[in-house]
Structure formats: C-alpha cells, structure tokens
Amino acid sequence: MIFVGLIMYIFGSIGNILNICVFTKWCRPNKRSKYSGCCYKSNSSLYLLASSISNLIVIIYPLLTRILLDGYQYHIKESNEFLLCKLRYYVLHTFDLISLTCICLATFDRYLISSREVRLRRLIPTTKQTKSIILFVFLLFGLHSIPLIIYNGVSKAGYCIILSTYYLYYYLYAFQIFLHGVIPIIFLSTFGLLTLKQLRIISKRKNRYGMMNSDKQLSRMLLLLSLAIILSSIPYCI
C-alpha cells in the first residue's frame, strides 16, 4: 500500500507541477497579435492552473497523510484529531471540488469559444472576470466545507467519522452523489459533446471562426480530461 501510494504521490506531484508551469506560461498575455485569440486560451489556462494547484494541494496533504495512516495502520488520537481528521477532510473536499469546478468552467469556456453564435461568444469573460470567478469558487467551497471541521471526529477505533447523523446524510447525497457524481457527469457530458460538435464544424470550415490550432488542441485535451472525470465520477453515483 505504501509503495503504490508513494508512486501515486511522486508522479502526481510531478505531473501537477509540470501542469502549473505550462498553464502559468499560457496565462501570460501575448502582445504579438490583437486578434490571435490568446486571451481566450488564457481564460481556460487560468481555470486549469487553478485546478492543477488544487490537485497538488490534495496530493501534498490529504493523500500523503492517507498513505501514511493506511500504510502504517495508524489510529488517530484526540491529540492530533484536528490535523489528521478535521483539517484533512476539509482540505480534501474543498480543493477537490475547486479542481472539479474549474475543469467544468474550462469546458464551458471552450464551448463558448468554439460556438458559431456571436451572442454566445460575447459571454466569454475577460481575464479579470475569470480571476474573479476563480476567487469566488475558492471562497464558495471554502465556506461550504466548514461543517466538515465542525462535525468530523474520531471514533473509539481511531478512525475519522461524521458525528452528526443529519450532516452525514448531506455529506453522502450532496457531496458524494451530486457534487462529485451527477452534476459533473451531466455538465461535462453536455458541454463536452457540444464542444466536440463545434470543433468538427470548425475543422471542416478551415478555421473560419479564427480559432487557432493551439486553441483546438487545448479543447481536445479538455475533452479527454472531461471523459476521464466522467468515468471516474460514475462510482460516486452507484
């Protein structure tokens, strides 16, 4: 368990650090051309940058502590309840939902960019607005996950449990089934298919809508990422 977990930890950390470097570079404004569409790419890159940072935080703290706890069969005590139970679950669910939401927003952004309708392309936010949206997402899920700190505790056997029965039902249905399962599957499936349809039309019409090859590559990458998330989210709905 420790060996497999450490492999996931090492490669996951390296992968997300590389993603952060790439998306940070893509977020920089390109001054060479006013109509190059780089601002559109930077919006999606900002979402993916926030997602990669969130994933890295999840790997560094919740995943590492999970590996150590399960690997050494360590039972949590009341003295370290806050760090290994309350704070760990707060960080895990907060940044996991932030990452998932940012990917959904990036997919929606790609849909708007690839749309043939001018009224939809006008909905594309500016870079400043995109940063505000990301900040709002951080604050929203940061506040939403506060009850995890309040209601999480340690059982007599030394495991993290939710002490409130009512919040346990909310956790199971709202957190696990809807926020991690149903909503991402529906959202990514819908806008992923619509984006794929638009990309095929754009390819046939030879970039008539001014979409660069790098934009199309980013869109295809997001489609593959969306497919992976959809497949991984199905168990939450079962």
Side-chain angles (χ1 to χ4, degrees):
M1 174 63 189
I2 295 180
F3 180 73
V4 176
L6 287 176
I7 291 177
M8 294 174 59
Y9 178 82
I10 293 171
F11 284 98
S13 299
I14 293 173
N16 280 287
I17 290 172
L18 292 176
N19 285 340
I20 290 171
C21 294
V22 171
F23 294 135
T24 300
K25 183 178 179 180
W26 284 4
C27 288
R28 296 172 184 171
N30 189 348
K31 299 180 180 180
R32 289 180 300 175
S33 175
K34 182 179 179 180
Y35 303 101
S36 63
C38 62
C39 60
Y40 297 154
K41 184 172 72 173
S42 68
N43 286 345
S44 298
S45 300
L46 280 171
Y47 290 128
L48 294 174
L49 175 62
S51 176
S52 298
I53 293 173
S54 300
N55 289 334
L56 185 61
I57 292 173
V58 170
I59 290 173
I60 289 176
Y61 181 39
L63 178 60
L64 180 60
T65 51
R66 174 68 182 272
I67 293 170
L68 296 176
L69 290 174
D70 291 351
Y72 291 102
Q73 297 297 315
Y74 181 80
H75 296 288
I76 302 172
K77 302 176 183 178
E78 291 186 1
S79 58
N80 49 29
E81 174 186 4
F82 180 78
L83 288 176
L84 298 181
C85 189
K86 294 178 178 290
L87 185 61
R88 181 164 70 93
Y89 273 89
Y90 175 82
V91 172
L92 171 64
H93 288 290
T94 299
F95 288 97
D96 189 34
L97 288 175
I98 289 172
S99 174
L100 193 56
T101 303
C102 286
I103 292 173
C104 290
L105 290 172
T107 304
F108 182 68
D109 185 71
R110 290 288 100 187
Y111 163 71
L112 294 178
I113 292 172
S114 62
S115 176
R116 293 175 294 169
E117 299 185 25
V118 177
R119 64 180 181 85
L120 290 178
R121 293 201 299 274
R122 286 177 178 172
L123 296 176
I124 300 172
T126 62
T127 301
K128 185 177 180 180
Q129 290 172 336
T130 301
K131 292 178 181 178
S132 299
I133 292 172
I134 294 172
L135 179 61
F136 173 76
V137 170
F138 270 80
L139 292 175
L140 175 65
F141 288 116
L143 294 173
H144 177 260
S145 299
I146 288 177
L148 287 170
I149 297 178
I150 299 173
Y151 294 116
N152 258 301
V154 180
S155 66
K156 294 181 180 180
Y159 298 103
C160 289
I161 60 171
I162 295 177
L163 302 175
S164 172
T165 305
Y166 295 105
Y167 187 73
L168 177 61
Y169 283 112
Y170 177 81
Y171 174 81
L172 292 175
Y173 289 100
F175 264 103
Q176 302 290 19
I177 296 179
F178 285 98
L179 294 179
H180 281 102
V182 175
I183 295 176
I185 289 174
I186 294 175
F187 191 95
L188 293 174
S189 298
T190 302
F191 289 102
L193 290 174
L194 290 173
T195 303
L196 181 61
K197 181 181 178 181
Q198 296 296 343
L199 286 176
R200 289 178 176 176
I201 295 174
I202 291 172
S203 298
K204 291 179 181 179
R205 299 191 179 187
K206 298 180 180 180
N207 255 354
R208 182 177 297 180
Y209 301 103
M211 197 174 189
M212 299 176 64
N213 289 330
S214 58
D215 288 317
K216 290 191 288 185
Q217 291 172 1
L218 182 59
S219 298
R220 293 190 180 100
M221 183 190 73
L222 265 172
L223 289 174
L224 292 175
L225 183 59
S226 299
L227 178 61
I229 292 175
I230 290 170
L231 294 176
S232 62
S233 298
I234 291 176
Y236 288 101
C237 302
I238 300 176

